[in-house]
Amino acid sequence: MTEQGDRFFVLAVSIAARLHDALDDARSISLQAMNAQASIARAGEQSRAMEPIVDYMNGLSLSIIQLVQDVDDEALLISRESLTEFRESVAVERFVDAVRLGQGAKHMDAIEAKVELLRHNLTVIRQGTGKKISVLIGLLSSIETTLLSANIVTSSFRIEVGKLDSEHKVTFESLIGAFNTATQNIRSVVNRCKADLATTRVLATTKR
Amino acid sequence: MKATKLFEHYDHEWIVFGRDPEKPTGIIDTNQYMIKARGAAMLLDPGGVELFAPMLAAVAQHVPISSIKHLFASHQDPDIISSLGLWDKTLEGATLYAPWIWEGFIKHFGCEAIVYDPLPDEGRTIRFGDTELEFVPAHYLHSSGNFSVYDKSAKILMSGDIGAALLPDGAPFFVEDFDTHTSAMTMFHQRWMPSNKAKAAWIARVRELDVDYMAPQHGAIFKGEDVVRFLDWFDALEVGIAV
Ligand SMILES: [Fe+2]
Ligand SMILES: [Fe+2]
């Protein structure tokens, strides 16, 4: 495989695998939020203040799930395109060999023109992959922003939980704990994906 | 890639390509054939992906690429047609004649621009320039969907893997001594060909044809009397022995 095609293919596959875990975590956040909504209903009047916070938390988890799925789709497209790029670059190599071997042959003009056309196609495919990588980076940043909002929400939630009596406090504190763990996991997955992307991009541009 | 003219009569030609000095080690040597007639060209068993570049360069010595409108694959093996995906990027408006049973398989090599024309089991005859090309059934020799090609005017039978010999690099293009040549053919035919019945049917068909050259995909080409010698030798050979 070519340097770029090879690296982007591996990258896309590894991102897709990592996101599988992130998706589990995002789903668990959503589940925590739903549990919190049920607990609020049980706790009655004294936990009313927490209701909008929990709703917001649920909304955040749903948008994280959506973003993770979008990243996954994008990674799949990138892996497909990397394979196309691989096939096309192998073809270019074979045609370049033919031009070298056929130097001076009577009917080489058409083959030389073919090489140029294939080279052009390859450039277009590479540009397409580059654009998809940018979209991927954008999606990862959106996940980060969403996680940041989740942090703020958790802080307000903690303050509200502090006002509750001890029985309900325990339930909600454990929810906050689970929510925090899930967001931390997603954050570290996103960071690892971003680090992989940065390395791959640098290698792809230097090796091209 | 070396090239030799097998036949020439006005604008009707047969050229064999092979014995490529740049061939990567470890892959079996193959003969590729080209028929030219009335400005059109057909490649027969155009070869594996590893040989595409030397083949394209060699072909460009003889014809403009735009004149290659026909390909033939005797069967589905990679040494026969794994270059298809690259020819697909090279040729415009071309048709591939190949056994119908392999259509869904051969297309895995890449066949978007080239039209796959599936050959029925009983074979078919097409007009090519001023000659007729007959796709002669050779099923189970060795592939379960397999054809030879017979050119009526040139009296050449392209026999695919039938008549193949495993020869050292750079061996001559033609059989020089039939009796010593059989030692390079015996194992190939006994091990790769599965059916005595299929063998007998093909031999009977070919005995009906007037053949000056029998041109296999591996090894050396049989001329004149050696064609009949080959048919007799093959007739007497027990095949499908690895059971
Ligand atoms: Fe074969
Ligand atoms: Fe073969």
Side-chain angles (χ1 to χ4, degrees):
Chain A
M1 230 186 222
T2 62
E3 292 289 349
Q4 178 178 320
D6 185 7
R7 290 179 200 289
F8 283 151
F9 180 72
V10 172
L11 170 81
V13 170
S14 81
I15 285 184
R18 283 186 175 159
L19 287 175
H20 202 78
D21 297 337
L23 200 59
D24 282 347
D25 284 314
R27 287 195 180 114
S28 108
I29 296 178
S30 169
L31 200 67
Q32 307 299 338
M34 281 195 299
N35 287 343
Q37 277 167 331
S39 306
I40 287 166
R42 279 198 302 275
E45 208 47 51
Q46 62 163 316
S47 62
R48 279 280 175 260
M50 287 187 302
E51 209 167 347
I53 303 176
V54 170
D55 286 348
Y56 190 62
M57 196 189 256
N58 193 31
L60 280 182
S61 67
L62 292 177
S63 47
I64 291 173
I65 291 174
Q66 187 55 52
L67 284 166
V68 169
Q69 273 164 351
D70 291 347
V71 173
D72 208 19
D73 291 347
E74 210 56 33
L76 186 70
L77 286 178
I78 291 167
S79 70
R80 277 207 194 121
E81 240 169 63
S82 314
L83 284 180
T84 309
E85 190 208 311
F86 164 63
R87 272 207 312 273
E88 294 301 310
S89 64
V90 167
V92 169
E93 278 168 31
R94 303 282 181 183
F95 276 85
V96 167
D97 275 353
V99 169
R100 176 180 56 85
L101 292 168
Q103 253 171 17
K106 254 189 243 167
H107 307 284
M108 282 316 281
D109 296 4
I111 298 171
E112 281 160 9
K114 206 57 103 177
V115 176
E116 282 320 302
L117 180 71
L118 288 171
R119 277 204 172 118
H120 171 75
N121 290 347
L122 187 58
T123 310
V124 172
I125 294 168
R126 282 189 173 146
Q127 283 164 350
T129 315
K131 275 182 198 151
K132 289 201 168 54
I133 294 281
S134 304
V135 172
L136 192 70
I137 291 171
L139 287 168
L140 289 172
S141 302
S142 305
I143 296 179
E144 277 189 317
T145 314
T146 313
L147 289 173
L148 219 60
S149 318
N151 256 357
I152 297 163
V153 172
T154 317
S155 311
S156 334
F157 195 46
R158 211 185 285 279
I159 294 165
E160 290 302 324
V161 169
K163 297 176 191 162
L164 294 174
D165 59 38
S166 57
E167 185 205 338
H168 291 110
K169 211 182 221 167
V170 176
T171 320
F172 285 116
E173 268 170 358
S174 84
L175 285 177
I176 292 174
F179 188 83
N180 272 344
T181 312
T183 50
Q184 268 163 20
N185 288 347
I186 296 174
R187 188 171 298 117
S188 81
V189 168
V190 168
N191 282 339
R192 276 198 303 257
C193 288
K194 283 184 89 175
D196 284 355
L197 259 168
T199 327
T200 308
R201 275 193 138 187
V202 169
L203 286 171
T205 34
T206 51
K207 293 273 182 168
R208 190 119 30 121
Chain B
M1 181 81 73
K2 289 181 184 156
T4 297
K5 227 168 246 184
L6 264 186
F7 173 86
E8 186 171 17
H9 182 72
Y10 295 106
D11 62 353
H12 183 191
E13 286 178 25
W14 271 74
I15 300 163
V16 53
F17 301 92
R19 313 296 189 265
D20 181 25
E22 284 201 38
K23 175 179 79 67
T25 49
I27 61 170
I28 189 168
D29 194 28
T30 49
N31 301 324
Q32 288 72 231
Y33 296 91
M34 181 167 74
I35 315 173
K36 276 170 70 180
R38 282 212 174 171
M42 179 187 287
L43 297 176
L44 310 173
D45 287 354
V49 67
E50 290 294 338
L51 285 188
F52 171 78
M55 254 308 273
L56 183 59
V59 164
Q61 286 282 6
H62 299 271
V63 292
I65 296 308
S66 59
S67 72
I68 305 172
K69 295 292 180 200
H70 307 270
L71 296 174
F72 163 77
S74 60
H75 60 290
Q76 85 295 359
D77 270 346
D79 63 324
I80 298 281
I81 190 68
S82 64
S83 58
L84 181 63
L86 293 164
W87 289 109
D88 196 67
K89 293 187 189 299
T90 313
L91 307 180
E92 274 153 37
T95 298
L96 167 70
Y97 301 96
W100 73 268
I101 68 162
W102 295 123
E103 181 167 357
F105 298 72
I106 286 177
K107 282 183 170 177
H108 273 278
F109 291 129
C111 185
E112 284 167 23
I114 292 173
V115 173
Y116 192 110
D117 188 339
L119 295 173
D121 281 344
E122 66 276 17
R124 195 205 291 164
T125 301
I126 61 162
R127 215 55 247 141
F128 188 67
D130 288 329
T131 189
E132 268 183 8
L133 295 179
E134 188 184 338
F135 299 114
V136 181
H139 308 312
Y140 303 104
L141 300 170
H142 65 92
S143 168
S144 41
N146 207 122
F147 288 93
S148 306
V149 180
Y150 177 62
D151 181 334
K152 224 174 181 176
S153 311
K155 297 183 184 175
I156 296 174
L157 177 75
M158 205 292 276
S159 56
D161 277 336
I162 307 166
L166 303 172
L167 300 177
D169 285 352
F173 263 126
F174 295 93
V175 173
E176 288 174 344
D177 179 66
F178 184 82
D179 291 327
T180 46
H181 189 67
T182 57
S183 63
M185 298 195 291
T186 307
M187 191 277 279
F188 188 94
H189 289 77
Q190 287 190 318
R191 189 63 185 82
W192 265 274
M193 309 283 166
S195 161
N196 287 306
K197 194 176 155 192
K199 183 192 70 165
W202 182 82
I203 291 170
R205 267 188 213 108
V206 173
R207 284 201 199 274
E208 299 288 308
L209 307 173
D210 186 5
V211 181
D212 282 350
Y213 289 100
M214 191 184 107
Q217 191 233 353
H218 307 280
I221 296 164
F222 302 83
K223 269 193 282 196
E225 285 298 298
D226 281 341
V227 176
V228 180
R229 278 192 198 108
F230 173 79
L231 295 176
D232 294 341
W233 170 85
F234 193 30
D235 209 2
L237 188 76
E238 185 80 14
V239 301
I241 55 156
V243 279

